[in-house]
Amino acid sequence: MADTENLGTGTTTDRRSEGSRDRGRTTIADNVVAAIAGIAIRETDGVHSIGRGASKALGAVTGRMTGSSGSSAAGRAVKVEVGEKQAAIDVDVKVEYGTTIHELADRIRTNVTDAVESMTGLDVVEINIVVFDVHIPGDDDDDDSDDQGGSRSGGSSPRVQ
């Protein structure tokens, strides 16, 4: 089990065993947890992309400029809250058409939980997923409008509950 100490921008994890009580601390920054989660999400079949709007565009530009593998872009598209021993994660995803969304959400939660918990020792207590769009193969105009699914009724009251 990992003892952790919240330092504001990260978590300090002190893995304790009989022979390592005074061997030092390991600090895991919030952006590291976000990058791990982002990579695990991107590796999940059925996810077209993560993040939307400005975070997605900024990640694409910085990835080209730095030649990075995209892990920093993944970290910006994933929001994390790290406590002393736990982490909560929020992400917006665009899914591939034909993907069963509730099954995809389960796979994302499993992949992210496995990756974050095994790499950091933190317990992932919550993963909130917003599916904001569906990618249709052959539809190349990714204009990243955030509200493409607005009400068609023209009225202000919702049609469904």
Side-chain angles (χ1 to χ4, degrees), residues 52 91-94 128-133:
R52 51 175 145 169
V91 64
D92 295 343
V93 297
K94 183 175 184 178
N128 297 309
I129 302 165
V130 174
V131 177
F132 71 90
D133 201 358

Side-chain angles (χ1 to χ4, degrees), residues 100-122:
T100 306
I101 294 173
H102 67 277
E103 291 175 3
L104 174 62
D106 290 342
R107 289 193 309 269
I108 289 171
R109 288 185 176 98
T110 299
N111 290 351
V112 170
T113 300
D114 291 349
V116 171
E117 288 183 353
S118 68
M119 292 182 73
T120 67
L122 295 167

Side-chain angles (χ1 to χ4, degrees), residues 26-158:
T26 302
T27 301
I28 303 168
D30 291 358
N31 64 329
V32 171
V33 175
I36 293 167
I39 292 167
I41 294 164
R42 285 184 183 197
E43 291 177 346
T44 306
D45 289 335
V47 174
H48 178 266
S49 61
I50 62 174
R52 51 175 145 169
S55 68
K56 186 175 175 184
L58 180 62
V61 169
T62 57
R64 270 184 257 143
M65 289 177 13
T66 62
S68 71
S69 63
S71 63
S72 62
R76 280 189 293 279
V78 179
K79 305 293 183 242
V80 299
E81 183 178 336
V82 179
E84 291 184 16
K85 297 181 182 186
Q86 300 174 330
I89 299 165
D90 298 325
V91 64
D92 295 343
V93 297
K94 183 175 184 178
V95 302
E96 294 290 345
Y97 177 78
T99 301
T100 306
I101 294 173
H102 67 277
E103 291 175 3
L104 174 62
D106 290 342
R107 289 193 309 269
I108 289 171
R109 288 185 176 98
T110 299
N111 290 351
V112 170
T113 300
D114 291 349
V116 171
E117 288 183 353
S118 68
M119 292 182 73
T120 67
L122 295 167
D123 291 323
V124 177
V125 295
E126 181 177 273
I127 301 172
N128 297 309
I129 302 165
V130 174
V131 177
F132 71 90
D133 201 358
V134 175
H135 175 257
I136 301 169
D139 188 13
D140 292 331
D141 61 315
D142 285 341
D143 58 341
D144 294 326
S145 298
D146 287 352
D147 295 318
Q148 293 179 357
S151 174
R152 295 180 185 174
S153 64
S156 61
S157 62

